[in-house]
Amino acid sequence: MFTDNSSEQETIQGSLERVTFHRPETGWAVLRVATEESGVITAVGIMLEPAAGETLRLTGNWEEHPRYGRQFNFREYQLIRPTTTEGIQRYLGSDLVNGIGPKLAAALVAQFGDETLQILDDEPQRLREVAGIGPKRAAALTEAWQRHQDVHRVMMFLHQHGLGTALATRIYTRYGPQAIEVLEANPYRLAHEITGIGFATADKIGRSVGVPADAPQRLQAALLHTLDQATEAGHFYLPQDELLAGAASLLRMPVEQLEVALAALAENEQVVLERGLGPDERATVYLPAMIAAEREVAQRLAAIAQVKDEEVPTSEQLHEWLQRREAFGELPLTAEQESAVATALSSGLCVITGGPGTGKTTIIRLLADACEALGRRVALAAPTGRAAKRLEQLTGRPASTIHRLLVYDPRRGGFRYGEAEPLPVDTLIIDEVSMVDVLLAHDMLRALGEGAQLVLVGDADQLPSVGPGNMLRDLVDLEVLPICRLTTIHRQRQGSLLVRNAHRINKGESPYLPSPESWQQEDCVLLEEDDPEVAAEKVIRTATVSLPKLGFSPAQIQVITPLHRGPLGVQVLNVALQQRLNPPAPGKAELQRGETIFRQGDRVLQTVNNYDKSVYNGDIGELASVDAERHVFTVGYDQAEVSYDFGELDQLELAYALTIHKSQGSEYPAVVIVIHSSHYVMLQRNLLYTALTRAEKMACIVGNRRGLGKAIKTARERQRHTQLAQRLRAQLLDEKT
């Protein structure tokens, strides 16, 4: 573990004796630095192209590493050129500059003495005065020296404008020696071109380099940022008046000043203006990629909906086939299930929706069997790894995530399967479609070949996707598509309080939730507590003591809660659960990012799509190993063990507790659900419904009835700005006329 011995930063200075380790991709470095005060010390941090012989001024904190002892973890650094001939010779001879080794460094210093660096800077033509350096070699050395100087010139500039070393490294990696010119011309580019830099950081740099408050590039950047934020909130566009008001609030200036900036963005095709297609005819503003995706998804869905299969069995043939299956022990289908199978087999595009216990998975299995009997190639997929694994277990057929089905190709920078190479399937069945955002659907639809069928299965009453759009709800609400609604609860689930309560909540009715005192082995229980701090302790005890006593292992238990922050939020609960379930121990490796400690054996969540590693947002694994010498660690996922650099630790979070949104698409044997009035603004019916339907065998709700009541009564979810339904309806009606 890395522990701070001091909360205050300090600055040390010394000569870089040796570069023990350096990873150019991330800048992570382990250095040995000779200081007057402390002798030779170990310093760790991010640095571009460190070289022995440099004099460093480092700012950071002392930390204690369990294996390597006391280290100085620096956040900022400054290079100070050596001034003595001995220092200059060592500096140049340390492979600092490509082409200058120890022998040439000695020759340069012998020729120019303590003026060597000044000669390299200002009079590089004099390099030919040194024996053995001809015109070509002099030019190569000059170019290499200039590049080295450019690196540190850019870094110094970025530090002066308040950027930390990590962000400065990303900027230099992206723009190279031109970084200063880019920032001085238009620092707002950073917000769109550099991961981890938003409008606030770009604006801080912009004001620092003297960009006027009403500069066109600043106003346009604020508008684009407001649209980006809307996309992250699930919208495909913003009404023009909302966009202008949002950007004006961000900049604290009148709306009128932004109208010209918006017109300029439209003229430069950085945004697309369009009149609203639905009842709300206000002008809309899209980012080009968003409107292109929405239009294409509508076009492709309409085209798939027109697909007809000549080999569809008659209703009599299907009924006979299902009866033969029942004769071999298969459970009989309800009339609505049989209708859903028939509809899906005869339609190019079919949507099947229903709540828990209504037999959606049974229909998927039957559909796959029927398609194979008809000679069709079938593929099953789901949005997340856990959902795909569950689908595979319940159907007995291979299933994959949508990302893995499409196969990311790093050489192309995109998916292998698409328009040029369609998926080799005739019928594609996607489960948990409520989680599929329109952008992922766009990639998926592009990969379907001509004549292929698409069956979308999901629960439209769950939370919408994290990404933009609300595709399943839009499709279910359309009256011009084949929609199969399952409402009948299967006999084997009718006794489940979990299932009955989920349906009651969905209707706006209060669930029956026994207290621990009245609990009679039901699969639901409510642990009431008004005090959030006490409720948090009840969550921890339930997950680590009570549920294990009922036979659930820690791996089978998942805590879910609406928010990240607060005493009942993900962050606090993860720390407490980690302490109980995976406490520190001798020999158990640890890593630290900010205030979060990651420990070997921890349950962790991948938070971004990493196509190069084939791990995706929502994948959950276990921190398997840490290699402190190579500065890498590995995480074991269901599909494979994946290696990360230390600098990639920001892609992970602890996963003992998840937000309800992050848990969507997964089911767990036992779930501890936090529903408390302190989360008031987040509480709504589909949030509670989604949370309860994550549990397979047991749901323990910790919170209070005030919070439950608020969630059940709040049926109106926040409207997402998307026009997919209107575009699809128009496409389908055009096809019919």
Side-chain angles (χ1 to χ4, degrees):
M1 183 178 76
F2 297 92
T3 55
D4 280 344
N5 291 335
S6 170
S7 59
E8 295 184 3
Q9 289 195 336
E10 59 180 288
T11 299
I12 63 172
Q13 184 169 313
S15 173
L16 178 50
E17 295 285 309
R18 185 174 77 252
V19 179
T20 304
F21 176 88
H22 183 246
R23 188 172 293 275
E25 309 92 85
T26 60
W28 179 259
V30 180
L31 313 172
R32 294 288 285 170
V33 180
T35 67
E36 291 186 5
E37 299 82 2
S38 307
V40 179
I41 64 148
T42 297
V44 296
I46 296 174
M47 181 180 291
L48 279 175
E49 300 186 356
E54 294 178 320
T55 299
L56 303 176
R57 183 174 291 133
L58 307 174
T59 301
N61 300 86
W62 287 102
E63 297 178 340
E64 191 69 32
H65 189 282
R67 180 174 177 182
Y68 298 107
R70 198 166 187 244
Q71 299 180 342
F72 190 77
N73 190 338
F74 62 90
R75 277 79 174 177
E76 306 290 347
Y77 72 91
Q78 181 180 356
L79 297 179
I80 301 171
R81 283 182 167 189
T83 55
T84 66
T85 54
E86 180 183 344
I88 292 170
Q89 180 173 331
R90 189 156 174 270
Y91 177 56
L92 293 176
S94 61
D95 294 324
L96 171 74
V97 179
N98 186 31
I100 301 181
K103 289 184 179 179
L104 182 55
L108 288 169
V109 171
Q111 180 71 30
F112 301 119
D114 57 11
E115 295 182 347
T116 301
L117 300 184
Q118 181 266 321
I119 297 293
L120 286 166
D121 284 338
D122 304 325
E123 302 177 85
Q125 68 276 7
R126 292 186 58 189
L127 290 175
R128 294 185 60 189
E129 296 176 15
V130 179
I133 298 182
K136 288 186 178 179
R137 193 174 187 193
L141 292 175
T142 300
E143 182 181 348
W145 175 254
Q146 186 58 50
R147 182 187 179 281
H148 173 72
Q149 295 306 102
D150 284 342
V151 170
H152 297 298
R153 179 175 61 89
V154 171
M155 295 299 286
M156 288 299 296
F157 176 86
L158 296 173
H159 287 323
Q160 288 167 6
H161 291 287
L163 285 185
T165 302
L167 283 181
T169 301
R170 291 184 195 174
I171 291 170
Y172 183 82
T173 301
R174 174 69 172 80
Y175 301 117
Q178 288 73 45
I180 294 176
E181 288 74 15
V182 167
L183 294 181
E184 289 179 333
N186 184 8
Y188 297 95
R189 288 177 57 181
L190 302 180
H192 299 284
E193 297 177 0
I194 305 290
T195 302
I197 295 182
F199 176 80
T201 301
D203 195 39
K204 179 181 176 184
I205 299 169
R207 305 315 303 277
S208 177
V209 299
V211 176
D214 61 352
Q217 66 262 41
R218 183 170 186 256
L219 306 191
Q220 291 173 21
L223 288 163
L224 292 174
H225 170 74
T226 304
L227 272 180
D228 282 335
Q229 292 294 103
T231 300
E232 290 184 14
H235 302 296
F236 254 76
Y237 69 89
L238 280 180
Q240 182 172 318
D241 55 351
E242 288 186 22
L243 171 61
L244 290 169
S249 175
L250 178 67
L251 297 174
R252 298 181 181 178
M253 61 174 50
V255 166
E256 293 73 23
Q257 287 187 254
L258 287 151
E259 291 175 346
V260 174
L262 180 59
L265 286 174
E267 185 176 347
N268 295 329
E269 299 182 345
Q270 292 178 269
V271 300
V272 178
L273 305 182
E274 182 183 67
R275 179 169 292 281
L277 302 177
D280 183 356
E281 294 186 351
R282 289 181 295 171
T284 65
V285 187
Y286 284 83
L287 293 169
M290 300 303 288
I291 194 169
E294 192 176 76
R295 286 171 174 170
E296 187 174 342
V297 167
Q299 291 167 357
R300 290 183 179 275
L301 285 173
I304 294 170
Q306 306 308 312
V307 172
K308 299 296 180 186
D309 195 309
E310 304 299 330
E311 306 265 336
V312 175
T314 65
S315 57
E316 293 78 11
Q317 289 172 326
L318 178 61
H319 189 69
E320 289 176 8
W321 181 70
L322 292 173
Q323 284 187 322
R324 287 198 299 273
R325 292 175 60 84
E326 291 173 21
F328 285 96
E330 294 284 350
L331 292 171
L333 297 187
T334 63
E336 64 184 12
Q337 283 181 310
E338 189 169 327
S339 174
V341 173
T343 301
L345 287 174
S346 61
S347 306
L349 172 63
C350 179
V351 180
I352 300 172
T353 184
T358 56
K360 297 188 296 295
T361 307
T362 298
I363 288 178
I364 292 174
R365 182 162 48 83
L366 284 172
L367 272 175
D369 289 348
C371 287
E372 280 197 352
L374 292 167
R376 298 178 189 169
R377 298 167 297 173
V378 184
L380 306 183
T384 67
R386 293 184 70 90
K389 183 179 179 182
R390 175 176 165 272
L391 180 62
E392 189 170 280
Q393 291 170 341
L394 293 177
T395 62
R397 290 176 167 275
S400 72
T401 64
I402 298 172
H403 287 96
R404 293 190 179 94
L405 180 71
L406 300 181
V407 186
Y408 184 76
D409 185 345
R411 292 173 300 175
R412 300 180 188 174
F415 292 113
R416 171 186 168 186
Y417 291 111
E419 283 185 295
E421 185 181 357
L423 284 165
V425 300
D426 302 308
T427 300
L428 176 60
I429 305 174
I430 306 292
D431 195 16
E432 295 288 357
V433 178
S434 62
M435 296 183 65
V436 178
D437 63 57
V438 178
L439 297 180
L440 180 56
H442 178 247
D443 290 322
M444 177 184 74
L445 293 170
R446 278 190 161 189
L448 280 181
E450 186 176 350
Q453 289 181 300
L454 178 62
V455 181
L456 303 175
V457 184
D459 187 343
D461 294 315
Q462 290 186 16
L463 291 168
S465 58
V466 174
N470 195 355
M471 188 177 72
L472 180 58
R473 170 55 62 189
D474 286 344
L475 297 181
V476 167
D477 288 344
L478 277 176
E479 299 174 359
V480 288
L481 280 177
I483 307 295
C484 304
R485 292 178 174 84
L486 306 178
T487 58
T488 305
I489 302 174
H490 277 201
R491 283 201 309 268
Q492 64 268 33
R493 298 300 302 273
Q494 287 175 352
S496 167
L497 196 54
L498 268 172
V499 172
R500 299 207 315 268
N501 277 339
H503 286 272
R504 288 179 65 86
I505 289 168
N506 207 21
K507 295 174 184 176
E509 300 171 359
S510 296
Y512 170 65
L513 296 170
S515 67
E517 295 75 22
S518 62
W519 184 62
Q520 298 294 321
Q521 306 296 313
E522 296 97 338
D523 53 11
C524 277
V525 65
L526 172 64
L527 290 79
E528 288 193 70
E529 181 55 57
D530 283 325
D531 186 317
E533 302 282 353
V534 178
E537 184 51 43
K538 285 191 176 183
V539 170
I540 305 306
R541 181 169 178 80
T542 301
T544 61
V545 178
S546 303
L547 284 171
K549 283 183 178 179
L550 294 178
F552 295 102
S553 68
Q556 294 176 310
I557 301 165
Q558 184 63 56
V559 173
I560 58 177
T561 183
L563 292 177
H564 277 278
R565 301 188 181 279
L568 286 167
V570 163
Q571 294 175 356
V572 170
L573 293 176
N574 262 322
V575 172
L577 287 164
Q578 180 195 49
Q579 186 62 30
R580 302 283 183 93
L581 296 172
N582 190 30
K588 189 181 286 186
E590 294 183 350
L591 295 168
Q592 185 164 357
R593 176 173 59 82
E595 297 180 359
T596 303
I597 293 172
F598 293 86
R599 189 171 294 129
Q600 191 174 351
D602 275 339
R603 187 188 307 174
V604 294
L605 172 75
Q606 176 78 16
T607 61
V608 296
N609 290 333
N610 189 323
Y611 295 102
D612 293 333
K613 298 181 187 297
S614 294
V615 288
Y616 303 101
N617 187 4
D619 285 352
I620 292 178
E622 180 179 303
L623 183 57
S625 65
V626 177
D627 187 332
E629 292 183 3
R630 293 174 55 231
H631 290 80
V632 297
F633 62 93
T634 59
V635 176
Y637 296 100
D638 288 338
Q639 69 276 11
E641 193 167 87
V642 176
S643 179
Y644 296 80
D645 291 333
F646 279 9
E648 296 173 308
L649 194 58
D650 60 355
Q651 296 183 18
L652 300 176
E653 293 177 359
L654 293 175
Y656 299 104
L658 299 174
T659 63
I660 295 171
H661 278 88
K662 286 290 188 183
S663 72
Q664 194 173 355
S666 300
E667 287 191 2
Y668 311 89
V671 176
V672 183
I673 304 168
V674 179
I675 298 291
H676 194 275
S677 56
S678 61
H679 293 160
Y680 201 79
V681 295
M682 283 290 294
L683 299 178
Q684 56 189 34
R685 188 180 299 171
N686 61 354
L687 184 92
L688 175 57
Y689 175 76
T690 300
L692 196 62
T693 54
R694 298 311 89 212
E696 292 177 341
K697 298 179 180 178
M698 187 70 198
C700 301
I701 298 177
V702 180
N704 54 17
R705 293 195 179 273
R706 183 181 169 211
L708 283 166
K710 166 64 167 58
I712 293 165
K713 290 176 185 175
T714 308
R716 184 178 61 84
E717 60 189 80
R718 186 181 175 190
Q719 188 66 34
R720 291 188 167 191
H721 293 304
T722 169
Q723 299 188 117
L724 176 65
Q726 291 91 330
R727 296 185 196 281
L728 181 54
R729 177 178 278 108
Q731 290 278 339
L732 291 169
L733 293 178
D734 283 347
E735 291 286 347
K736 290 183 178 180
T737 56

